[in-house]
């Protein structure tokens, strides 16, 4: 959906390079196992409780990202060049 794609893409850009292997595996399960992307968004924004299997550190990171404390505009997906940059 149009709202979910920028949200998840921007989260990935900001966080994937800092995650360890276990966190990457949890993130992969989180974005691929639920059948409805809106569920992930609702869990991240705390509009609905997440299932127990998705209550982990990556969900906490996603929830913190969803709070958008810096009031960034997140209306479009990031350019993909970041995928080819060396990790920070």
């Amino acid at each position: 959906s149009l709202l979910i794609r920028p949200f998840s893409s921007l989260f990935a850009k900001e966080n994937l390079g800092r995650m360890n292997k276990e966190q990457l595996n949890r993130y992969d399960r989180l974005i691929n196992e639920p059948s409805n992307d809106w569920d992930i968004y609702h869990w991240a924004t705390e509009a609905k409780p997440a299932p127990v299997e998705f209550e982990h550190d990556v969900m906490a990171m996603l929830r913190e990202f969803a709070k958008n404390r810096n009031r960034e505009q997140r209306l479009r997906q990031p350019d993909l060049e970041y995928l080819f940059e060396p990790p920070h």
Side-chain angles (χ1 to χ4, degrees):
S1 93
L2 295 177
L3 178 62
I4 301 300
R5 288 185 195 129
F7 176 78
S8 60
S9 297
L10 291 166
F11 174 82
K13 178 181 179 183
E14 188 173 305
N15 291 283
L16 291 186
R18 297 185 287 174
M19 289 184 186
N20 61 38
K21 185 176 180 178
E22 291 79 21
Q23 289 172 317
L24 290 171
N25 286 335
R26 285 191 289 275
Y27 179 70
D28 183 64
R29 284 190 59 224
L30 175 62
I31 64 170
N32 288 306
E33 286 186 15
S35 60
N36 185 342
D37 288 347
W38 279 106
D39 286 339
I40 300 167
Y41 182 79
H42 289 131
W43 303 335
T45 58
E46 300 182 82
K48 293 182 182 177
V52 174
E53 64 267 27
F54 296 123
E55 284 295 347
H56 45 57
D57 57 342
V58 177
M59 179 58 74
M61 293 167 66
L62 195 58
R63 285 185 177 134
E64 183 59 32
F65 180 79
K67 291 177 183 172
N68 195 10
R69 295 184 192 274
N70 295 330
R71 305 260 188 232
E72 300 168 322
Q73 285 195 355
R74 296 176 176 169
L75 302 175
R76 67 179 206 82
Q77 294 183 171
D79 296 328
L80 297 180
E81 285 80 19
Y82 80 91
L83 294 173
F84 304 104
E85 296 173 0
H88 300 86

